[in-house]
Amino acid sequence: MFSSSAQADYAPYFYGNDPYSNNGNLAMFSLSEDTPVGTQIYRLNGTDPEGQEVRFGLSFDQGSKEYFRVDPKSGNITLVEKLDREEQDSVDVNISITDGRSETTESGKSIYKVEAVDRDTGSGGSVTYHVQTPQSSLFAIDINSGVLRIKSGQTLDYEKTKTHFVTIVAKDGGGNLNGNEQFMSSTATLTVNVIDAQDTPPFFIGTPYFGYVYEISVPGSEIFTVSAEDGDVGNPNPVSYSFDEGDDGVFGINETSGCISLLVAPIYLKREIFNIKVRASEVSGEDKQMDYGVATVVIRVVDLNNNPPTFYGENGPQNMFELTMYEHPPEGEILRGLKITVNDSDKGANAKFNLRLIGPGRMLRAVPQTVLNEAQVTILVEDSAAMDYERHQFLTYKLLAVEIDTPERFSATADIVIHLLDTNDNAPKFSSDYYIARIPENSPGGSNVVSVTAVDPDSGPWGEVKYSIYGSGADLFLIQPISGIIYTQPWASLDAEVRSKYNFYVKAEDAEGKYSLAEVFVTVLDLNDHPPAFNDNFLEKTMVIGAPVKIQAVDDDAEVPNNVIEYAIMKAEPDNNIFDIDADTGEIKLKSYIKSLAIIQNITKKRDCSWSLVVQARDRGQPSFSTTAVVKIDITEAVRGPLGSFLLLNRNNPLQIIGMLISIICFMVIVTVIISTATFLRNKKSNRILPNRRVRRRPRKQHFWNFKSPFKSSEPPGENFTVQEEQPEPEVVVENVNYNNNINNVVRHWPPPPCAPSLPPPPPTYVPGERHWTIPTVSAAVAPRPKKRPVIDRTDTVNKALVSELKMRLEQKKIATP
């Protein structure tokens, strides 16, 4: 058994650092939250008083995220997790530094000498020594001398094992016994008691340490108590406590008990978190500090949520803010006239709150939306169009601040009132896009037509509207600029027969020239101021028995029923019971029982079949006007033959006669083409080679109009054409009246082409007051009327020529027929 002499072994320690150093003990170190992961952010640095190699370590609270990692040899600290200050604004980490813990007895030193005696001689008396379990033992023995020593590289540690039991084996060199070689051995157990030396610094119990200071704490309040023991448990020394750093002079610690207390009122604490380094030092019997250990105490200043958010103006707390501005400010513009500050005097999460603007629509927006402690409030324009003076002359909003993460959810409100000033942002608007008016044609000049209305919602002169009219139809009209009443020119005389429709534009304009338009449609109402009128007061007609004759009167009124005419036979001579008239069309026809001239002659007892009728034309207006005309009718028998009947029946309808003639001509052309085709195919089939021929049309009598009777069979093709051998012919100049012939070198005298019906002459320029005729009375007397030139109808001339030609052709056919 042996005892080692006492030697002091001091603990390693960190170097200190200033707030801007990245090398030392990590105290007072800050890091930007956008530092990339993998960045080397710090280097721990320290030393051991005995010069031993030191190693570094760090640890986090249980359940906390491990943001850093340290290299134990170099002390380099690396960021391994992304930082987010809004999620966590401080990270608590425990760092450590250790040395090799040198023991009093050095490695390889002899601690005991074992001796064994063998009384044999020779090799049987030689003794060697062995440790029975050398693999796990801290000890080694000299095989010859029996000296027990600590193995190289091994040390004794009282704090780990206070007593070691070493079994030692003594063996002889062997010899002959009873004819056999025999080896002898003996064992002994050596007890090695390790005596504690002051080589272990004090260690803290129950780390990590956290303490809290509350707003209601008073100076002298106990914050936290640390506890440490001497690491040399065999012969421990008393421990003394002190601050190394981080207390800022606002905390104190009891040297004996380790109780940390507050020295000042919480209002004087400048930080929310204090990382205080507490030293626990061994004290020798002579009150001399020896080895020590260090622990970190994290003290957090805990804010009580006893202050709600508060709004401030330029002169202090304020809950009403007003601003006057023009309507429709630009979107995104800041309302700089509002000086608003919001503050919460609490700390940390108790001072975090949201801002929200409550009011009509989404015209304005408040920023920022989330505030910590204090912020300047900015109001931005979100919807410029909605900030309209015509809809809201002032806007009232509530600015609301509500705490986010507190159970109390304290809040505050402030009223924001914005008075809007008007601008000329509206054009006048008509009550309708168009106006429809009706005015009688006999209305005097200056008559009211229609009243238009436009409204400008702007205020002052911008809301005053002036009216004007323009357009091609506005010449006969005026408008009151202020009232919007449209009336006729004083000299205007409206006539529905001259013009019944007018349309023009009306403009409503404000003081700055902003305007809108509407369209006005004016209809001149027709009055029954024209009587019906015949072309002539005396008319002559020829009536074929079985076919009606037609008379027509015209009423110059513009609209129905004023221009709708009814016809009636007022008197007929020599007999009133011969004719009927269609009241709507004016067609006059014989009674249905009259089938021949003989019946008429039997009724009248006269050979002359000439009639005089007084026919009345009456309009349907109110009052109704009428006029009469004398119609002389000559009655004849129908022309014999279907063609004559057809022409007679359609003498007033030339289109039907022309259609009939075209049909006949087409039929003849088709027959000619068929015959020619058949002749060609027959000659081709017989393979006959014919000499050159010239086809000449057989001359026949020429007439201005060449018609074929549809009722007579066509002549054989051979009679119409002759084939002659080609031979020179003398040039003959003839007068070819039949313009359907295609012979060259003929002087043709073409009949004059029919002219297109000429347009009626334009109506005489209307001058109000120049109508001199009088309105006829109900007695059917013909009112005097300016004579009109009879319109010559080209169609009637052509019809008469056709009828004469047909009659002549028929007579020639009768003479030619035996």
Side-chain angles (χ1 to χ4, degrees), residues 263-280:
L263 300 181
V264 298
I267 194 173
Y268 297 107
L269 300 179
K270 303 301 182 184
R271 289 188 289 164
E272 184 179 352
I273 297 176
F274 293 85
N275 292 301
I276 301 175
K277 301 296 183 181
V278 179
R279 174 182 292 192

Side-chain angles (χ1 to χ4, degrees), residues 625-641:
F625 295 138
S626 64
T627 186
T628 58
V630 176
V631 181
K632 181 179 180 183
I633 298 178
D634 293 327
I635 303 175
T636 63
E637 290 279 357
V639 180
R640 292 182 180 179

